[in-house]
Amino acid sequence: MVAELAPLITKVWRHCEGTSNRGRTVTLKVKFNDFEIITRSKSVPVAVSSRNDLEHLSVALPQNEMPLPKPVRLLGISLSSRQHVDDTEPQLALPM
């Protein structure tokens, strides 16, 4: 399953970099061949700051479910509780 998650993680991280957003909650959605859906999520105190962190959190989510009881037909990864990352330095206030 880790190999199947890698391209999804990369896609989510590229979107985060492109929009300058980061998130604190990683969610894994698993759809089985009988259309049953399970979701697992993990929230962290600070926003995920790298693709490696996102991968570590994503891969850890299904560990309690292994081995999966049925064949999987669809996987999804999302990042929520987003925060905008501003790369510019804050504007300084002038004393009045």
Side-chain angles (χ1 to χ4, degrees):
M1 184 182 281
V2 174
E4 301 298 326
L5 289 174
L8 300 173
I9 294 165
T10 299
K11 185 175 181 179
V12 169
W13 190 250
R14 277 192 201 140
H15 177 75
C16 289
E17 286 183 327
T19 59
S20 296
N21 284 314
R22 302 293 185 263
R24 293 185 318 104
T25 303
V26 178
T27 303
L28 169 71
K29 182 181 280 190
V30 180
K31 292 184 180 182
F32 294 105
N33 67 344
D34 65 355
F35 296 94
E36 179 185 356
I37 301 171
I38 62 169
T39 58
R40 301 294 179 261
S41 62
K42 170 82 174 172
S43 294
V44 291
V46 295
V48 176
S49 60
S50 72
R51 187 203 176 281
N52 287 340
D53 290 345
L54 178 59
E55 182 175 15
H56 177 73
L57 290 167
S58 299
V59 169
L61 288 173
Q63 294 305 315
N64 290 337
E65 307 300 322
M66 295 307 224
L68 292 173
K70 307 174 227 184
V72 173
R73 70 178 182 92
L74 188 66
L75 291 172
I77 292 286
S78 65
L79 193 57
S80 57
S81 300
R82 292 187 290 179
Q83 301 169 347
H84 184 71
V85 177
D86 189 6
D87 293 334
T88 61
E89 293 192 27
Q91 182 175 352
L92 300 175
L94 294 174
M96 296 273 184

